[in-house]
Amino acid sequence: METALTALVGVRHPIVQTGMGWVAGPRLVSAAARAGALGILASATMTPEQLRAAVREVKSRTDAPFGVNLRADAGDAAERVRLIVEEGVRVASFALAPSRELIARLKDAGVVVIPSVGARRHAEKVAAWGADAVIVQGGEGGGHTGDVATTVLLPQVVDAVDIPVVAAGGFLDGRGLVAALSYGAAGIAMGTRFLLTSDSTVPDPVKARYLAAGVKDITVTTAVDGLPHRMLRTELVTALERSGRAGALLRAVRHAAAFRKLSGLSWSRMVRDGLAMKHGRDLSWSQVLLAANTPVLLKASMVEGRTDLGVMASGQVAGVIEDLPSCAELVGRVMAEAESVLARLEQLHGSGTLPPAG
């Protein structure tokens, strides 16, 4: 299936595996890339040295195109951009809108720039600055998310920009791919669905917790870092929502110390990053600290298997996922189902059941 996305990045199928912290490492990314999707490494939880090693590991496993997700507001964003240019990475994606200067630097080096956005105005801004495509995440998506459903947000963005739009938030199968294409998207991006594969390194007990969850077990809370964050409801989430300001600050300082040790960042650097997050937002200092060290909370679950102490970011689709296929099986299944749906629609159209387009 050829779309504007496959033509832009050189993959076989219009599917993106998103850059999830502690999840989208070399094993998952290379498996997704070999399956014909666009795999994206998550770099926010890596030092620059670890990122370089991860990029080289993916390249040793596959010659298919892949990308790296970057934090546009990170203090070392320019260094990481230089790294992916040096390593010949095909795609740079961003969790927040990158600056005009970062986009220009990447495009000058031949890197495809695909920011993720959650609002029409953000898509318009990065398109005007030269982004090659955008990933648009509706409120159903996991992690930091908005409150506008994909079915409402996606057509707005498709109508507003003239670059390829990739739909994210609520996708897990071929029916969703066809639905996104019908809205004018060039493909779909999936996080939770790729997390729940046999190629994902997430511990089995954590995967089991996801598989056992129903749709109503997935919540949006601001208690973790002050921003709307979709995740499984866990003991930690409940405790954070019930704790007072003093308890939240104490917990945030403890996690911040752990993140500093893990990342090698100085306290001054963490404060600068925290101030960047606080800018323009009504966040308490405990929320700023939590925002700066949310990776530690994710690591507790996604790496250490501590479902009682960690955060498990999750799209709503976790409530209807029931198995753990390999990436190859998943992508093959999605594409086969999409072709079947398209054939059925064509049959309906040919029989006159559907009116002619236009």
Side-chain angles (χ1 to χ4, degrees), residues 195-256:
L195 183 156
L196 293 174
T197 61
S198 59
D199 294 305
S200 163
T201 58
V202 171
D204 289 342
V206 178
K207 290 180 181 178
R209 184 77 177 261
Y210 275 97
L211 292 177
V215 173
K216 292 186 177 180
D217 296 319
I218 302 159
T219 188
V220 175
T221 182
T222 59
V224 171
D225 56 15
L227 302 173
H229 205 151
R230 186 178 291 283
M231 61 187 68
L232 294 190
R233 177 160 291 284
T234 64
E235 295 88 338
L236 174 65
V237 173
T238 300
L240 287 172
E241 289 180 341
R242 292 176 177 173
S243 63
R245 182 177 294 271
L249 182 59
L250 179 61
R251 185 179 288 106
V253 170
R254 186 169 67 248
H255 284 298

